[in-house]
Amino acid sequence: MRNHLRNKFLLILILCCFAGCASTPVKAKVSNLSEGMERPSFESTFHYSLGVLNILDDNLDGAIKEYEKALSFDPQSPYLKTELISLYIERGEIQKAITLSKKYLTEHPDNVNAHLLLGGLYLNMKDYKDAIGEYEKVIEMD
């Protein structure tokens, strides 16, 4: 009962935030975003929020589906990719996590954290050769 009330409260809070954002006029230039960086789409943000609610309900399958939908609307988002990788790992889908990590690294080859994450995945699978390769890349970048 307590979780049900908490989830209703969170949903109302998120809806109020969306209503506030929708009623606020957008400025022509946003100073806190770096050049070339775009805001995530409404659809991406919406599905990400639904994913977070699914996580709060301990529904990893639902969260993964929502994060995948969010990523389809914002395929360049490094944050969504790393969050989805984390969910794959938590659900035990290591191959999916490795595949998405490799894809992410083809787009962002200088991301040290992504190399560390992929190295850790390989290490946990006892694929020492690939794990060492990822850790060597981290050392080279450092």
Side-chain angles (χ1 to χ4, degrees), residues 65-131:
K65 286 179 185 176
E66 292 301 333
Y67 280 13
E68 287 171 342
K69 286 179 190 175
L71 194 58
S72 73
F73 288 107
D74 190 6
Q76 298 303 316
S77 171
Y79 180 76
L80 284 174
K81 287 179 185 173
T82 54
E83 288 291 305
L84 190 54
I85 290 167
S86 297
L87 285 179
Y88 285 148
I89 293 168
E90 192 171 338
R91 195 164 84 177
E93 295 185 31
I94 304 303
Q95 282 304 97
K96 280 187 176 182
I98 288 173
T99 301
L100 190 56
S101 296
K102 285 180 179 179
K103 183 179 178 186
Y104 175 77
L105 282 169
T106 59
E107 299 163 358
H108 306 279
D110 296 333
N111 189 309
V112 173
N113 290 329
H115 284 288
L116 287 171
L117 179 64
L118 186 56
L121 288 168
Y122 285 139
L123 186 63
N124 286 330
M125 291 180 54
K126 299 187 186 330
D127 182 353
Y128 301 118
K129 181 182 176 186
D130 288 332

Side-chain angles (χ1 to χ4, degrees), residues 1-18:
M1 180 70 179
R2 190 173 190 191
N3 283 337
H4 184 68
L5 289 174
R6 180 189 64 169
N7 291 342
K8 279 187 175 182
F9 174 75
L10 288 173
L11 181 61
I12 291 170
L13 181 65
I14 289 171
L15 291 175
C16 289
C17 289
F18 281 136

Side-chain angles (χ1 to χ4, degrees), residues 17-32:
C17 289
F18 281 136
C21 291
S23 65
T24 304
V26 178
K27 296 179 182 177
K29 183 171 181 172
V30 179
S31 61
N32 65 344

